Amino acid sequence: MKRRMTIAMLLVLMLNTGCWDRKEINDIGLVMGTGLDLADNGKIEATIQVAVPAPSGQSTGAGSKETEKFFLISAVGENGIEIQQKLQQKMSRTLFFAHRSVILIGESLARKGVNDILDTFNRSPRNRLKTYMLVVKGRKAADLLQVNYPYELAPAEALKEMEMLKGEGTIVTLRDFMIASATEGMSPTIGVLEPADFHRPGEKEEDRLFRINGTAVFKSGKLTGFLNNAKTHEFLWFRDNKKTDKISADLPGGKGNVGYFITSGSYKINADAGSNPLKFHVSLKAKGDLFENNSPLDVTDADNLTIVKKAIEDRIKRDMQAFLRKIQTGYKSDIVGFGQQLQRENPKKWRTVEKKWDQYFAAAKISVSVDVTINNTGAIGPPLQLKEKEIEK
């Protein structure tokens, strides 16, 4: 009897148990994106984009007003907790950050440093470490959070979709940035957001659309400079999102140019720890297809294909060398991971250079070799518009 009463009491307790910390959807405000800027008084200004839920039965398509999809609130403070308290005081609902898509950082704040504000994004379990990060070049982050984007419900969602286009730019999450910052022999990077050079009819300057273009280079938590789109494509050789790329190469003797579409690329770094200065060798390998031939060469001919292959390899090598010079002498910031590779290959040598790695990296000699495989030259050899006598076989 006693055992039956105990079981009955347990069942009653189980049936009456609920989630004590449960939040109803009507009680929360969904934060879609956060913008961080340097305020006029030197403090941090945070702007959050909060979704406006559509009433039951209302369409979220083109018929709904853009201004009803989200709204912005801002607050200024010394640190994350102070700012969050001020933001919450302006809301009738509890701010909910677990669905945030992007964190935007204005250029002025990025140059001053971001270490003092990022801790609040990591410590709380309600924050997503897979949130994308972007630096807003030349403008305030808050400006871009209020731009109405035609394809998505809110700017934050448009930015998330752009970041997911692998192979088109530097893709960095909050987690990636933290890992790179804490890794010896490595400097972090973030993708760059800027106003687009195209616009909608009748559009005001402050309402211009945006695009992801280039890479922001950090060192010691501060923005040191930008890589343009061309150098970003070279940087992507060392990242997982180097899935595809297009290379245009001039042929020797003024014979024209060809276009090469990379379908897969890989790299390998070797360190020579015994040399002074340090020496590294970067080996690049690419597989892809020839998708354009603006020359008289018949690329079905083996000798001509060798000429094309070498021209593509030379172009990739020159571009890679220019990128390496930029990060070595321009920024003295190892965003690739040469120091990390030295640490793996020769920990003893690394311990002697790690405290002044920026100086050793800037002075290091880096050589580059490229091996290109052309899988497919297309359905034709020479361009069809050429006469037979103009074709070189």
Side-chain angles (χ1 to χ4, degrees), residues 98-148:
H99 289 281
R100 176 167 44 198
S101 300
V102 294
I103 298 171
L104 306 182
I105 303 172
E107 182 178 344
S108 296
L109 178 61
R111 290 193 180 278
K112 180 183 178 183
V114 297
N115 286 343
D116 292 340
I117 188 63
L118 291 182
D119 185 76
T120 187
F121 293 104
N122 303 310
R123 200 163 295 278
S124 173
R126 293 186 182 275
N127 287 312
R128 297 172 64 233
L129 290 178
K130 290 188 177 181
T131 301
Y132 292 116
M133 296 181 68
L134 289 158
V135 169
V136 179
K137 185 178 181 180
R139 291 182 65 177
K140 295 181 65 175
D143 294 340
L144 274 73
L145 283 177
Q146 59 189 348
V147 175
N148 290 316

Side-chain angles (χ1 to χ4, degrees), residues 247-260 290 292-297 304 306-316 318-319:
I247 306 294
S248 177
D250 293 326
L251 298 178
K255 292 184 180 295
N257 58 74
V258 293
Y260 179 66
L290 197 69
E292 189 173 8
N293 178 19
N294 299 314
S295 77
L297 297 181
N304 287 339
T306 299
I307 295 173
V308 170
K309 178 178 181 294
K310 187 176 187 309
I312 296 170
E313 291 172 343
D314 289 344
R315 173 60 190 272
I316 294 175
R318 287 196 305 272
D319 289 347

